[in-house]
């Protein structure tokens, strides 16, 4: 049981206002583009207008003549230093600057450095590049055809196939399908989308020839991993590399990979001995950096006539673009997609995924998602609705019949994951009650009689977050633990540093609350720092909602080490034995004599002024935490919407989100996370796609085409929670940041299909723009 702290201490469960907002709301944050160094110069990328073309020449003489231009770097120049290719974070390599040919529109071809940004951009216009068209491969379903162009000539394997990955028991699953009385099938495409963070990617690389130290300010969600990879790839001594990730304006997975712009800025700084800034434009960000999803999925469910599910079979084609630059753990080519049995008690399951190359931007990053979990949750939650439709059963009844029951936890699912804890029925029942489900169904019947279109969509997702146990999880070989170092100063104030790096999640507040919970030092007296590799302990960074399950635990464990030492100091000060002391947040006291006590502040002072012989001075600790398992947050989301018969426009009327992330550190921060993630889910479901035409031209490469929801489109989110603590997390917490993005797309799509199901509609692929619905209504003779 967690001890409740006072509001002044502000430990777990208090809605402490976010400390970082003080500078953000005053416009005083320091983002990479705010970094300005003496003698700094600017880089600009020349990019390919073609999706697939042979590079036959680059002429840069005119550009070099422009006053203020300092350097033009091409792929051939990098090749001389062995740097024209770099490893991706997932068993592949990627061109830094193109040599030989280009493989996607907007690929990096040359890097121009000039005294100012405008000159660099003007000089880039003067660079002439000769291209020879090559046949373009856009459709991943054609990637393995005999007549498909082979894209990656650099690879030994002359095929566009990247990987085949399977998990589960194929034979047993097929066996169940052979005899099952009911089968439901769904073919669904989760479109390519993009995290589109408010701040694009960028860096300032500063190589100091006098000290031979390279400092890189970088929009990085994983600064330590970047430092090690820079050292390994460029051969620079790691102690001479310092990565600083300052304030970051949203990451959502987009800022995990290493991008060519970072490498070029570093090379240019090494070459010129001056700091080089490179900041991406919005279009460059959308067109060339890590995309998400792009999964073509098929799910089949075998069930009994009464709706009891028996087996799940999943087959997926994953479009990874030109390079497999997925940022995910080494052992999982399709991330944690094998969580696709979701919240349901299947006895058998089999899942296979094939990845292919196409002429599109590289990636496959985890956009607010624990490595392909969003795709999995969407697939199973849509497939359950297809089964309900097949059985003519209420989707709520079907789900309740099939939830993994609370007494089965820890639950080993047929695809191998051991779910830590869950109570899916409780979350579902709370959501049903809040939204008034049975009344809504009656209203829907009424409306249908009047010819009006109203839909109710349900999603009861299960997540898997907190990568991860080091026996299974690593990125490029670096194990996925995380860390925290705490130093308590003589006056009882403290600084905590972690291996994670927030991009808006509020770590400076919530991690301080963990220290406050464990040590009783008021949250106002604790500074949290992340993102500087020279000062923070080594960690794998922030993405996939791993911070709370992994670094959050490291913070609690480091605090507990400090408390253990504080007990020794208190015993010395109180002239009592350690065993006779009791702890309450903020002080030790002698059992049975509460007035004989020492506060943590008094103890901290003694750690530097009055420590017993044989005990080291100081009060600090570091902890590297390797979790025994992942955490499995869950929830039920219900969307109610109405469709305009004239235009096909769906309007979300209500949306109830019940989340369960175990014990909560800061309820207000969690609510903010859920509001943000739901808004992203809404955009994915209805508005966003990075599509390509048949020549490989990006269709969603600007905010004119790739739509960002404003307050006008965003409904009022109604949130609530249940609490099922994680049994293995010392604070009982699970991650939450990505849950709303993972769980909500299915709720929106289920609601649209539910509104149209009586017309025989079984599925509509995202993004569900009004025209798609209007077309269906027109075909059915409902719309003009
Ligand atoms: O890794 P990331 O920070 O993106 O995700 P997270 O661990 O889910 O945390 C997102 C934010 O919610 C952090 O500020 C957490 O401290 C907070 N949180 C919380 O207050 N209680 C939880 N049970 C989970 C997260």
């Amino acid at each position: 049981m967690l001890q409740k702290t006072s509001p002044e201490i502000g430990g777990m469960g208090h809605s402490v206002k976010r400390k970082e907002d003080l500078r953000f709301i005053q416009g005083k944050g320091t983002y990479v583009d705010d970094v300005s160094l003496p003698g700094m110069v600017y880089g600009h990328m020349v990019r390919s207008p073609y999706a697939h073309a042979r590079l036959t020449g680059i002429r840069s003489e005119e550009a070099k003549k422009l006053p203020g231009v300092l350097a033009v770097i091409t792929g051939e120049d990098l090749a001389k230093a062995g740097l024209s290719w770099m490893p991706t974070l997932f068993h592949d390599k990627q061109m830094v600057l193109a040599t030989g040919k280009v493989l996607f529109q907007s690929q990096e071809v040359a890097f121009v450095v000039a005294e100012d940004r405008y000159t660099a951009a003007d000089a880039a216009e003067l660079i002439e590049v000769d291209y020879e068209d090559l046949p373009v491969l856009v459709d991943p379903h054609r990637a393995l055809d005999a007549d498909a162009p082979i894209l990656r000539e650099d690879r030994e394997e002359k095929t566009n196939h990247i990987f085949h990955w399977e998990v589960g028991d194929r034979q047993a699953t097929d066996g169940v399908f052979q005899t099952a009385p009911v089968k439901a099938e769904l073919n669904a495409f989760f479109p390519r989308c993009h995290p589109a963070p408010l701040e694009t990617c960028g860096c300032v690389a500063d190589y100091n020839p006098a000290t031979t130290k390279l400092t890189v300010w970088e929009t990085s969600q994983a600064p330590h991993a970047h430092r090690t990879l820079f050292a390994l790839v460029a051969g620079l001594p790691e102690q001479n590399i310092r990565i600083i990730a300052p304030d970051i304006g949203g990451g959502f997975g987009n800022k995990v990979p290493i991008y060519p712009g970072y490498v070029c800025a570093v090379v240019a700084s090494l070459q010129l001995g001056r700091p080089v800034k490179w900041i991406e434009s919005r279009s460059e960000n959308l067109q060339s950096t890590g995309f998400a999803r792009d999964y073509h999925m098929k799910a089949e469910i075998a069930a009994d006539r009464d709706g009891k599910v028996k087996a799940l079979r999943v087959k997926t084609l994953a479009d990874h673009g030109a390079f497999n630059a997925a940022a995910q753990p080494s052992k999982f080519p399709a991330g944690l997609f094998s969580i696709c049995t979701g919240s349901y008690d299947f006895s058998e399951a089999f899942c296979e995924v094939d990845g292919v190359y196409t002429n599109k931007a590289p990636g496959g990053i985890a956009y607010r998602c624990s490595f392909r979990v969003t795709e999995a949750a969407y697939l199973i939650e849509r497939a359950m609705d297809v089964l309900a439709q097949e059985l003519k059963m209420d989707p709520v009844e079907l789900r309740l019949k099939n939830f993994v029951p609370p007494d089965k936890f820890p639950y080993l699912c047929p695809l191998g994951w051991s779910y830590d804890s869950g109570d899916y029925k409780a979350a579902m029942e709370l959501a049903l009650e809040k939204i008034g489900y049975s009344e809504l169904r009656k209203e829907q019947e009424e409306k249908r009689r009047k010819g009006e279109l109203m839909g109710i969509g349900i999603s009861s997702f299960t997540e898997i977050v907190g990568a991860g146990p080091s026996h299974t999880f690593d990125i490029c070989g670096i194990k996925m633990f995380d860390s925290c170092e705490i130093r308590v100063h003589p006056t009882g104030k403290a600084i905590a540093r972690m291996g994670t790096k927030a991009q808006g999640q509020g770590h400076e507040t919530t991690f301080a609350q963990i220290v406050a919970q464990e040590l009783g030092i008021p949250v106002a007296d604790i500074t949290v720092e992340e993102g500087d590799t020279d000062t923070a302990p080594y960690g794998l960074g922030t993405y996939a909602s791993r911070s709370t399950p992994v670094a959050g635990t490291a913070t609690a464990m480091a605090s507990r080490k400090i408390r253990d030492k504080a007990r020794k100091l208190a015993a010395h000060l109180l002239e009592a034995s350690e065993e006779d002391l009791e702890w309450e947040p903020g002080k030790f006291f002698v059992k049975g004599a509460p007035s004989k006590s020492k506060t943590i502040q008094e103890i901290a002072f003694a750690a530097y002024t009055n420590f017993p012989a044989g005990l080291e001075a100081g009060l600090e600790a570091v902890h590297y935490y390797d979790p025994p398992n992942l955490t499995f947050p869950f929830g039920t989301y219900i969307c109610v919407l109405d469709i305009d018969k004239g235009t096909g426009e769906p309007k979300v009327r209500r949306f109830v989100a019940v989340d369960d992330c175990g014990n909560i550190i800061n309820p207000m921060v969690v609510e903010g996370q859920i509001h943000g993630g739901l808004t992203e889910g809404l955009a994915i479901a209805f508005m966003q796609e990075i599509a390509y035409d048949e020549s490989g031209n990006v269709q969603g490469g600007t905010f004119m085409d790739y739509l960002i929801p404003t307050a006008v489109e965003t409904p009022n989110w109604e949130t609530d929670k249940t609490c099922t603590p994680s049994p293995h997390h010392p604070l009982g917490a699970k991650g939450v940041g990505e849950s709303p993005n993972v769980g909500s797309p299915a709720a929106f799509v289920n609601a649209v299909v539910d509104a149209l199901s009586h017309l025989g509609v079984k599925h509509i692929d995202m993004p569900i723009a009004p025209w798609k619905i209007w077309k269906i209504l027109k075909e059915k003779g409902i719309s003009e």
Side-chain angles (χ1 to χ4, degrees), residues 503 505-507 510-511 514 542-549 661-667 669-670 673 733-738:
Q503 316 112 48
Q505 293 92 332
H507 291 180
T510 53
F511 284 144
I514 295 177
T542 292
Y543 39 87
S545 283
R546 65 186 296 278
S547 303
T548 303
C661 58
N663 290 334
I664 287 180
I665 302 160
N666 184 322
V669 167
V670 168
Q673 292 286 304
K734 301 180 178 186
V736 77
E738 65 190 45

